[in-house]
Each structure stands twice: as C-alpha cells, then as structure tokens.
Amino acid sequence: MQATLKPEPEAGHDPCTQLLVRSWRLIMVRGVECPLVTHEFRCACGLDGREVLRACCAFLCALAFSQRRRLWVNPPGEPRLTADETDMLRLIAAAQNGCAPLLDAQLSGLARQPLRAALEHSVRELGALLQARQLRLPRPA
C-alpha cells in the first residue's frame, strides 16, 4: 500500500471509521509499534485494545499479501478518504453487518483468489471484535 495526497470523498465521522482510518494511516507511516496507534485502540477498546489492534494488523497484513494491485491510503490528518480506503471500510462493514453479497463482491475486488480466504477470515475477526466493543461501521448501501 502506498500513501497518496489524492483527495476522495469526505471521511465519515463515526467513531469506528475514525479509529480504523487514523490507525491504518499511522501504521503506514510509522509502523505497528507507533505509540499513537496503541493509544487509539486503548482509548476506543479499553483493556481489549491490544487484541483489537492485533486483529487490525492481521487484516492489514492479509490485505497486503492478497491485494490485486497497490492500494492507496492518504497520510494521517487528511480529512478525505481515498477510493481504496472506502473499499476497505465497505469490506469491514459488510463483514460486521452480515451482507454476504457485498462482502463477496468487495473480497473479489480487493483480493486475489488464492489468498482470499485469509483476508475473509481476518476481516470477519476484526469486524466481530470491533462490534463486541460497540464499534460498528454504518451498514453499507
């Protein structure tokens, strides 16, 4: 995945979107050991912050290994989402909300077939852990 300054649609303001977007942008720039990322998850998930952060990192790793093409994310602080960030959020939202057809479509668009199962497993786990902490993405349209 590569950082880009290309603006896309406005980022959502719900807490789950904010957590995910800020975290994966910081991870892209500073790595998984960034104390700001740990702090974000601790504030959002309490004592379970490390577990949810691990699931987020597993999702990002599965996505990085299975991606069909290089994905673009904006740098931290950019108020807009890239098209790829929007697709990543739709993928997680589809998993959280039980939207099987959309989940399948998003997986097909983002992941190569041989590695798709690993991405699906990781996104389902991340979605469930977020939902268990009352962090839910809006139901996809």
Side-chain angles (χ1 to χ4, degrees), residues 17-138:
T17 297
Q18 294 291 337
L19 172 67
L20 292 170
V21 172
R22 278 196 306 247
S23 297
W24 68 50
R25 287 176 176 180
L26 284 168
I27 289 169
M28 293 301 300
V29 173
R30 297 188 169 184
V32 295
E33 298 299 323
C34 175
L36 293 173
V37 175
T38 304
H39 178 74
E40 291 279 338
F41 278 91
R42 190 177 311 124
C43 288
C45 304
L47 297 174
D48 298 324
R50 286 185 187 263
E51 179 184 12
V52 182
L53 174 56
R54 275 193 287 272
C56 183
C57 290
F59 164 71
L60 293 174
C61 285
L63 184 59
F65 283 115
S66 66
Q67 65 190 0
R68 291 184 174 277
R69 60 176 175 72
R70 179 175 286 178
L71 301 177
W72 297 92
V73 300
N74 274 329
E78 170 65 36
R80 298 177 184 260
L81 297 173
T82 67
D84 290 330
E85 288 173 319
T86 300
D87 285 343
M88 293 161 64
L89 289 169
R90 277 192 196 121
L91 177 64
I92 298 165
Q96 270 192 330
N97 291 285
C99 300
L102 180 59
L103 179 63
D104 189 55
Q106 290 297 127
L107 285 167
S108 294
L110 289 171
R112 293 173 303 189
Q113 185 58 38
L115 301 171
R116 192 176 139 174
L119 179 59
E120 182 175 0
H121 175 76
S122 69
V123 75
R124 286 183 184 276
E125 181 180 5
L126 175 59
L129 287 172
L130 289 166
Q131 189 168 333
R133 278 114 194 128
Q134 285 72 52
L135 291 166
R136 189 176 186 97
L137 290 170

